[in-house]
PDB file of all heavy atoms in Angstrom:
ATOM      1  N   LEU A 316       4.891  35.486 -75.727  1.00  0.00           N
ATOM      2  CA  LEU A 316       3.692  35.853 -76.485  1.00  0.00           C
ATOM      3  C   LEU A 316       3.659  37.372 -76.743  1.00  0.00           C
ATOM      4  O   LEU A 316       3.319  37.843 -77.878  1.00  0.00           O
ATOM      5  CB  LEU A 316       2.438  35.429 -75.750  1.00  0.00           C
ATOM      6  CG  LEU A 316       2.231  33.890 -75.731  1.00  0.00           C
ATOM      7  CD1 LEU A 316       1.016  33.573 -74.878  1.00  0.00           C
ATOM      8  CD2 LEU A 316       2.058  33.344 -77.091  1.00  0.00           C
ATOM      9  N   ASN A 317       4.076  38.168 -75.723  1.00  0.00           N
ATOM     10  CA  ASN A 317       4.150  39.600 -75.924  1.00  0.00           C
ATOM     11  C   ASN A 317       5.101  39.954 -77.053  1.00  0.00           C
ATOM     12  O   ASN A 317       4.815  40.807 -77.862  1.00  0.00           O
ATOM     13  CB  ASN A 317       4.680  40.292 -74.626  1.00  0.00           C
ATOM     14  CG  ASN A 317       3.657  40.291 -73.556  1.00  0.00           C
ATOM     15  OD1 ASN A 317       2.413  40.233 -73.824  1.00  0.00           O
ATOM     16  ND2 ASN A 317       4.095  40.367 -72.305  1.00  0.00           N
ATOM     17  N   SER A 318       6.240  39.252 -77.064  1.00  0.00           N
ATOM     18  CA  SER A 318       7.225  39.504 -78.132  1.00  0.00           C
ATOM     19  C   SER A 318       6.591  39.203 -79.533  1.00  0.00           C
ATOM     20  O   SER A 318       6.737  40.027 -80.423  1.00  0.00           O
ATOM     21  CB  SER A 318       8.422  38.546 -77.975  1.00  0.00           C
ATOM     22  OG  SER A 318       9.293  39.027 -76.968  1.00  0.00           O
ATOM     23  N   LEU A 319       5.901  38.107 -79.592  1.00  0.00           N
ATOM     24  CA  LEU A 319       5.285  37.781 -80.907  1.00  0.00           C
ATOM     25  C   LEU A 319       4.244  38.735 -81.351  1.00  0.00           C
ATOM     26  O   LEU A 319       4.232  39.163 -82.506  1.00  0.00           O
ATOM     27  CB  LEU A 319       4.662  36.308 -80.816  1.00  0.00           C
ATOM     28  CG  LEU A 319       5.616  35.163 -80.665  1.00  0.00           C
ATOM     29  CD1 LEU A 319       4.914  33.874 -80.456  1.00  0.00           C
ATOM     30  CD2 LEU A 319       6.508  35.085 -81.956  1.00  0.00           C
ATOM     31  N   ARG A 320       3.425  39.198 -80.397  1.00  0.00           N
ATOM     32  CA  ARG A 320       2.414  40.164 -80.725  1.00  0.00           C
ATOM     33  C   ARG A 320       3.011  41.480 -81.254  1.00  0.00           C
ATOM     34  O   ARG A 320       2.662  41.945 -82.346  1.00  0.00           O
ATOM     35  CB  ARG A 320       1.563  40.533 -79.468  1.00  0.00           C
ATOM     36  CG  ARG A 320       0.444  39.526 -79.276  1.00  0.00           C
ATOM     37  CD  ARG A 320      -0.545  40.143 -78.228  1.00  0.00           C
ATOM     38  NE  ARG A 320      -1.114  39.050 -77.500  1.00  0.00           N
ATOM     39  CZ  ARG A 320      -0.747  38.696 -76.275  1.00  0.00           C
ATOM     40  NH1 ARG A 320       0.167  39.378 -75.657  1.00  0.00           N
ATOM     41  NH2 ARG A 320      -1.294  37.702 -75.677  1.00  0.00           N
ATOM     42  N   THR A 321       3.897  41.996 -80.471  1.00  0.00           N
ATOM     43  CA  THR A 321       4.556  43.305 -80.862  1.00  0.00           C
ATOM     44  C   THR A 321       5.227  43.147 -82.203  1.00  0.00           C
ATOM     45  O   THR A 321       5.165  44.033 -83.099  1.00  0.00           O
ATOM     46  CB  THR A 321       5.541  43.709 -79.806  1.00  0.00           C
ATOM     47  OG1 THR A 321       4.983  43.522 -78.558  1.00  0.00           O
ATOM     48  CG2 THR A 321       5.953  45.161 -79.989  1.00  0.00           C
ATOM     49  N   ALA A 322       5.996  42.042 -82.407  1.00  0.00           N
ATOM     50  CA  ALA A 322       6.742  41.864 -83.624  1.00  0.00           C
ATOM     51  C   ALA A 322       5.811  41.720 -84.829  1.00  0.00           C
ATOM     52  O   ALA A 322       6.117  42.204 -85.916  1.00  0.00           O
ATOM     53  CB  ALA A 322       7.668  40.684 -83.486  1.00  0.00           C
ATOM     54  N   THR A 323       4.641  41.081 -84.606  1.00  0.00           N
ATOM     55  CA  THR A 323       3.675  40.944 -85.711  1.00  0.00           C
ATOM     56  C   THR A 323       3.189  42.313 -86.129  1.00  0.00           C
ATOM     57  O   THR A 323       3.150  42.686 -87.316  1.00  0.00           O
ATOM     58  CB  THR A 323       2.456  40.118 -85.257  1.00  0.00           C
ATOM     59  OG1 THR A 323       2.997  38.848 -84.739  1.00  0.00           O
ATOM     60  CG2 THR A 323       1.544  39.820 -86.384  1.00  0.00           C
ATOM     61  N   ASP A 324       2.823  43.153 -85.173  1.00  0.00           N
ATOM     62  CA  ASP A 324       2.319  44.507 -85.492  1.00  0.00           C
ATOM     63  C   ASP A 324       3.419  45.234 -86.234  1.00  0.00           C
ATOM     64  O   ASP A 324       3.146  45.892 -87.289  1.00  0.00           O
ATOM     65  CB  ASP A 324       1.982  45.255 -84.238  1.00  0.00           C
ATOM     66  CG  ASP A 324       0.837  44.664 -83.500  1.00  0.00           C
ATOM     67  OD1 ASP A 324       0.189  43.726 -84.007  1.00  0.00           O
ATOM     68  OD2 ASP A 324       0.580  45.042 -82.332  1.00  0.00           O
ATOM     69  N   ALA A 325       4.591  45.185 -85.698  1.00  0.00           N
ATOM     70  CA  ALA A 325       5.709  46.024 -86.284  1.00  0.00           C
ATOM     71  C   ALA A 325       5.991  45.541 -87.707  1.00  0.00           C
ATOM     72  O   ALA A 325       6.199  46.372 -88.603  1.00  0.00           O
ATOM     73  CB  ALA A 325       6.947  45.938 -85.380  1.00  0.00           C
ATOM     74  N   THR A 326       6.073  44.207 -87.922  1.00  0.00           N
ATOM     75  CA  THR A 326       6.398  43.674 -89.227  1.00  0.00           C
ATOM     76  C   THR A 326       5.307  44.017 -90.230  1.00  0.00           C
ATOM     77  O   THR A 326       5.589  44.414 -91.383  1.00  0.00           O
ATOM     78  CB  THR A 326       6.621  42.174 -89.149  1.00  0.00           C
ATOM     79  OG1 THR A 326       7.508  41.861 -88.108  1.00  0.00           O
ATOM     80  CG2 THR A 326       7.238  41.678 -90.454  1.00  0.00           C
ATOM     81  N   ALA A 327       4.050  43.908 -89.822  1.00  0.00           N
ATOM     82  CA  ALA A 327       2.967  44.192 -90.749  1.00  0.00           C
ATOM     83  C   ALA A 327       3.066  45.643 -91.173  1.00  0.00           C
ATOM     84  O   ALA A 327       3.006  45.931 -92.380  1.00  0.00           O
ATOM     85  CB  ALA A 327       1.639  43.899 -90.040  1.00  0.00           C
ATOM     86  N   LEU A 328       3.266  46.551 -90.238  1.00  0.00           N
ATOM     87  CA  LEU A 328       3.368  47.959 -90.547  1.00  0.00           C
ATOM     88  C   LEU A 328       4.579  48.199 -91.455  1.00  0.00           C
ATOM     89  O   LEU A 328       4.425  48.964 -92.460  1.00  0.00           O
ATOM     90  CB  LEU A 328       3.453  48.754 -89.242  1.00  0.00           C
ATOM     91  CG  LEU A 328       3.582  50.256 -89.359  1.00  0.00           C
ATOM     92  CD1 LEU A 328       2.446  50.876 -90.079  1.00  0.00           C
ATOM     93  CD2 LEU A 328       3.716  50.865 -87.992  1.00  0.00           C
ATOM     94  N   ALA A 329       5.702  47.584 -91.093  1.00  0.00           N
ATOM     95  CA  ALA A 329       6.912  47.869 -91.847  1.00  0.00           C
ATOM     96  C   ALA A 329       6.827  47.304 -93.261  1.00  0.00           C
ATOM     97  O   ALA A 329       7.340  47.885 -94.188  1.00  0.00           O
ATOM     98  CB  ALA A 329       8.116  47.279 -91.154  1.00  0.00           C
ATOM     99  N   LEU A 330       6.094  46.179 -93.451  1.00  0.00           N
ATOM    100  CA  LEU A 330       5.933  45.612 -94.803  1.00  0.00           C
ATOM    101  C   LEU A 330       5.143  46.558 -95.669  1.00  0.00           C
ATOM    102  O   LEU A 330       5.556  46.836 -96.826  1.00  0.00           O
ATOM    103  CB  LEU A 330       5.205  44.265 -94.699  1.00  0.00           C
ATOM    104  CG  LEU A 330       6.129  43.024 -94.483  1.00  0.00           C
ATOM    105  CD1 LEU A 330       5.275  41.766 -94.421  1.00  0.00           C
ATOM    106  CD2 LEU A 330       7.127  42.894 -95.582  1.00  0.00           C
ATOM    107  N   VAL A 331       4.084  47.110 -95.104  1.00  0.00           N
ATOM    108  CA  VAL A 331       3.278  48.099 -95.915  1.00  0.00           C
ATOM    109  C   VAL A 331       4.095  49.248 -96.287  1.00  0.00           C
ATOM    110  O   VAL A 331       4.219  49.635 -97.455  1.00  0.00           O
ATOM    111  CB  VAL A 331       2.050  48.559 -95.044  1.00  0.00           C
ATOM    112  CG1 VAL A 331       1.330  49.682 -95.821  1.00  0.00           C
ATOM    113  CG2 VAL A 331       1.119  47.364 -94.812  1.00  0.00           C
ATOM    114  N   LEU A 332       4.822  49.834 -95.277  1.00  0.00           N
ATOM    115  CA  LEU A 332       5.635  51.039 -95.523  1.00  0.00           C
ATOM    116  C   LEU A 332       6.799  50.665 -96.491  1.00  0.00           C
ATOM    117  O   LEU A 332       7.082  51.425 -97.432  1.00  0.00           O
ATOM    118  CB  LEU A 332       6.186  51.603 -94.209  1.00  0.00           C
ATOM    119  CG  LEU A 332       5.129  52.172 -93.250  1.00  0.00           C
ATOM    120  CD1 LEU A 332       5.856  52.392 -91.889  1.00  0.00           C
ATOM    121  CD2 LEU A 332       4.538  53.395 -93.812  1.00  0.00           C
ATOM    122  N   GLY A 333       7.490  49.602 -96.209  1.00  0.00           N
ATOM    123  CA  GLY A 333       8.672  49.259 -96.938  1.00  0.00           C
ATOM    124  C   GLY A 333       8.411  48.861 -98.385  1.00  0.00           C
ATOM    125  O   GLY A 333       9.100  49.286 -99.291  1.00  0.00           O
ATOM    126  N   LEU A 334       7.298  48.104 -98.603  1.00  0.00           N
ATOM    127  CA  LEU A 334       6.961  47.671 -99.909  1.00  0.00           C
ATOM    128  C   LEU A 334       6.511  48.937-100.740  1.00  0.00           C
ATOM    129  O   LEU A 334       6.933  49.106-101.878  1.00  0.00           O
ATOM    130  CB  LEU A 334       5.894  46.667 -99.892  1.00  0.00           C
ATOM    131  CG  LEU A 334       5.767  45.746-101.129  1.00  0.00           C
ATOM    132  CD1 LEU A 334       7.109  45.097-101.392  1.00  0.00           C
ATOM    133  CD2 LEU A 334       4.756  44.691-100.931  1.00  0.00           C
ATOM    134  N   THR A 335       5.688  49.754-100.165  1.00  0.00           N
ATOM    135  CA  THR A 335       5.235  50.966-100.795  1.00  0.00           C
ATOM    136  C   THR A 335       6.460  51.797-101.243  1.00  0.00           C
ATOM    137  O   THR A 335       6.599  52.193-102.402  1.00  0.00           O
ATOM    138  CB  THR A 335       4.393  51.833 -99.892  1.00  0.00           C
ATOM    139  OG1 THR A 335       3.464  50.979 -99.139  1.00  0.00           O
ATOM    140  CG2 THR A 335       3.605  52.851-100.647  1.00  0.00           C
ATOM    141  N   ALA A 336       7.381  52.013-100.268  1.00  0.00           N
ATOM    142  CA  ALA A 336       8.518  52.838-100.586  1.00  0.00           C
ATOM    143  C   ALA A 336       9.381  52.166-101.702  1.00  0.00           C
ATOM    144  O   ALA A 336       9.816  52.884-102.595  1.00  0.00           O
ATOM    145  CB  ALA A 336       9.318  52.998 -99.327  1.00  0.00           C
ATOM    146  N   SER A 337       9.551  50.858-101.631  1.00  0.00           N
ATOM    147  CA  SER A 337      10.378  50.224-102.625  1.00  0.00           C
ATOM    148  C   SER A 337       9.760  50.324-104.037  1.00  0.00           C
ATOM    149  O   SER A 337      10.478  50.654-104.988  1.00  0.00           O
ATOM    150  CB  SER A 337      10.519  48.715-102.321  1.00  0.00           C
ATOM    151  OG  SER A 337      11.021  48.575-101.006  1.00  0.00           O
ATOM    152  N   VAL A 338       8.432  50.100-104.101  1.00  0.00           N
ATOM    153  CA  VAL A 338       7.803  50.188-105.415  1.00  0.00           C
ATOM    154  C   VAL A 338       7.928  51.588-105.980  1.00  0.00           C
ATOM    155  O   VAL A 338       8.219  51.817-107.132  1.00  0.00           O
ATOM    156  CB  VAL A 338       6.308  49.765-105.255  1.00  0.00           C
ATOM    157  CG1 VAL A 338       5.568  50.074-106.569  1.00  0.00           C
ATOM    158  CG2 VAL A 338       6.247  48.279-104.943  1.00  0.00           C
ATOM    159  N   VAL A 339       7.709  52.580-105.119  1.00  0.00           N
ATOM    160  CA  VAL A 339       7.785  53.978-105.533  1.00  0.00           C
ATOM    161  C   VAL A 339       9.215  54.293-105.980  1.00  0.00           C
ATOM    162  O   VAL A 339       9.432  54.869-107.058  1.00  0.00           O
ATOM    163  CB  VAL A 339       7.405  54.942-104.356  1.00  0.00           C
ATOM    164  CG1 VAL A 339       7.720  56.373-104.788  1.00  0.00           C
ATOM    165  CG2 VAL A 339       5.909  54.748-104.081  1.00  0.00           C
ATOM    166  N   LEU A 340      10.225  53.873-105.228  1.00  0.00           N
ATOM    167  CA  LEU A 340      11.564  54.155-105.563  1.00  0.00           C
ATOM    168  C   LEU A 340      11.938  53.564-106.930  1.00  0.00           C
ATOM    169  O   LEU A 340      12.564  54.223-107.779  1.00  0.00           O
ATOM    170  CB  LEU A 340      12.555  53.587-104.539  1.00  0.00           C
ATOM    171  CG  LEU A 340      12.723  54.431-103.245  1.00  0.00           C
ATOM    172  CD1 LEU A 340      13.592  53.645-102.235  1.00  0.00           C
ATOM    173  CD2 LEU A 340      13.406  55.746-103.593  1.00  0.00           C
ATOM    174  N   VAL A 341      11.554  52.319-107.153  1.00  0.00           N
ATOM    175  CA  VAL A 341      11.884  51.597-108.382  1.00  0.00           C
ATOM    176  C   VAL A 341      11.176  52.234-109.565  1.00  0.00           C
ATOM    177  O   VAL A 341      11.833  52.486-110.593  1.00  0.00           O
ATOM    178  CB  VAL A 341      11.554  50.080-108.234  1.00  0.00           C
ATOM    179  CG1 VAL A 341      11.670  49.414-109.583  1.00  0.00           C
ATOM    180  CG2 VAL A 341      12.498  49.446-107.224  1.00  0.00           C
ATOM    181  N   SER A 342       9.892  52.611-109.360  1.00  0.00           N
ATOM    182  CA  SER A 342       9.252  53.196-110.570  1.00  0.00           C
ATOM    183  C   SER A 342       9.712  54.640-110.781  1.00  0.00           C
ATOM    184  O   SER A 342       9.685  55.078-111.936  1.00  0.00           O
ATOM    185  CB  SER A 342       7.741  53.088-110.384  1.00  0.00           C
ATOM    186  OG  SER A 342       7.306  53.601-109.158  1.00  0.00           O
ATOM    187  N   LEU A 343      10.131  55.328-109.759  1.00  0.00           N
ATOM    188  CA  LEU A 343      10.663  56.650-110.003  1.00  0.00           C
ATOM    189  C   LEU A 343      11.943  56.540-110.840  1.00  0.00           C
ATOM    190  O   LEU A 343      12.149  57.334-111.766  1.00  0.00           O
ATOM    191  CB  LEU A 343      11.043  57.328-108.640  1.00  0.00           C
ATOM    192  CG  LEU A 343       9.881  57.958-107.887  1.00  0.00           C
ATOM    193  CD1 LEU A 343      10.418  58.547-106.594  1.00  0.00           C
ATOM    194  CD2 LEU A 343       9.138  59.021-108.725  1.00  0.00           C
ATOM    195  N   ARG A 344      12.735  55.529-110.531  1.00  0.00           N
ATOM    196  CA  ARG A 344      13.946  55.313-111.344  1.00  0.00           C
ATOM    197  C   ARG A 344      13.601  55.011-112.765  1.00  0.00           C
ATOM    198  O   ARG A 344      14.243  55.479-113.684  1.00  0.00           O
ATOM    199  CB  ARG A 344      14.767  54.186-110.715  1.00  0.00           C
ATOM    200  CG  ARG A 344      15.728  54.748-109.767  1.00  0.00           C
ATOM    201  CD  ARG A 344      16.658  53.693-109.275  1.00  0.00           C
ATOM    202  NE  ARG A 344      17.028  54.090-107.943  1.00  0.00           N
ATOM    203  CZ  ARG A 344      17.426  53.297-107.003  1.00  0.00           C
ATOM    204  NH1 ARG A 344      17.419  51.987-107.217  1.00  0.00           N
ATOM    205  NH2 ARG A 344      17.770  53.750-105.830  1.00  0.00           N
ATOM    206  N   ARG A 345      12.680  54.055-112.933  1.00  0.00           N
ATOM    207  CA  ARG A 345      12.286  53.676-114.331  1.00  0.00           C
ATOM    208  C   ARG A 345      11.750  54.835-115.056  1.00  0.00           C
ATOM    209  O   ARG A 345      11.938  55.006-116.250  1.00  0.00           O
ATOM    210  CB  ARG A 345      11.237  52.584-114.260  1.00  0.00           C
ATOM    211  CG  ARG A 345      11.762  51.238-113.826  1.00  0.00           C
ATOM    212  CD  ARG A 345      10.963  50.162-114.449  1.00  0.00           C
ATOM    213  NE  ARG A 345      11.351  48.840-113.914  1.00  0.00           N
ATOM    214  CZ  ARG A 345      10.685  48.239-112.983  1.00  0.00           C
ATOM    215  NH1 ARG A 345       9.565  48.707-112.487  1.00  0.00           N
ATOM    216  NH2 ARG A 345      11.117  47.058-112.525  1.00  0.00           N
ATOM    217  N   GLY A 346      10.976  55.698-114.344  1.00  0.00           N
ATOM    218  CA  GLY A 346      10.323  56.790-114.994  1.00  0.00           C
ATOM    219  C   GLY A 346      11.241  57.979-115.297  1.00  0.00           C
ATOM    220  O   GLY A 346      10.778  58.990-115.713  1.00  0.00           O
ATOM    221  N   ARG A 347      12.577  57.763-115.150  1.00  0.00           N
ATOM    222  CA  ARG A 347      13.543  58.821-115.502  1.00  0.00           C
ATOM    223  C   ARG A 347      13.229  60.096-114.765  1.00  0.00           C
ATOM    224  O   ARG A 347      13.318  61.198-115.361  1.00  0.00           O
ATOM    225  CB  ARG A 347      13.599  59.054-116.992  1.00  0.00           C
ATOM    226  CG  ARG A 347      13.910  57.840-117.802  1.00  0.00           C
ATOM    227  CD  ARG A 347      14.043  58.070-119.282  1.00  0.00           C
ATOM    228  NE  ARG A 347      13.885  56.854-120.063  1.00  0.00           N
ATOM    229  CZ  ARG A 347      14.746  55.875-120.037  1.00  0.00           C
ATOM    230  NH1 ARG A 347      15.824  55.985-119.352  1.00  0.00           N
ATOM    231  NH2 ARG A 347      14.516  54.786-120.780  1.00  0.00           N
TER     232      ARG A 347
END
Side-chain angles (χ1 to χ4, degrees):
Chain A
L316 291 176
N317 288 334
S318 281
L319 290 175
R320 275 195 211 102
T321 316
T323 305
D324 296 351
T326 310
L328 178 59
L330 273 179
V331 171
L332 294 169
L334 201 56
T335 318
S337 305
V338 170
V339 171
L340 279 174
V341 170
S342 50
L343 282 180
R344 267 187 209 153
R345 286 209 187 101
R347 303 184 200 291

